Amino acid sequence: MKTAVVNVKTDVSTKQKAQKLAAELGLSLGGVINALLRDFVRQRRLDIGLEIPNEATAKALQESEEDYKAGRFHSFKNAKDAIAFLDDISKHGYAAD
């Protein structure tokens, strides 16, 4: 595969932050840029929808995962059952196990 050099100008802070994040994800900055360019060509659009949760969201996701693993959740077969559960706790309160 032949390669070409692409020079991109960006501010130092953005480059440093991008390099740090790429490294945290196990990627190189060049790899990230190549992936973005390939996707841009393939999709013929620019989609930058990858979201990395902030600290508060990451903590909430971790807590949710722990609750799920510990069985602290409710599951319903249909909306009617879920509404009945919500009606019941609104009338009688909810005692967490």
Side-chain angles (χ1 to χ4, degrees), residues 25-66:
L25 297 172
L27 303 167
S28 68
L29 187 55
V32 170
I33 292 169
N34 278 320
L36 289 170
L37 289 174
R38 283 188 204 104
D39 192 58
F40 178 62
V41 170
R42 185 177 54 252
Q43 300 291 331
R44 299 185 56 83
R45 67 185 179 134
L46 181 61
D47 182 5
I48 54 172
L50 174 64
E51 294 183 28
I52 302 199
N54 64 27
E55 189 175 327
T57 302
K59 182 179 176 187
L61 289 169
Q62 179 66 33
E63 290 172 358
S64 293
E65 187 173 327
E66 290 168 5

Side-chain angles (χ1 to χ4, degrees), residues 10-22:
T10 189
D11 63 274
V12 174
S13 176
T14 299
K15 179 184 176 190
Q16 290 172 342
K17 289 175 185 175
Q19 283 176 314
K20 181 180 180 210
L21 180 57

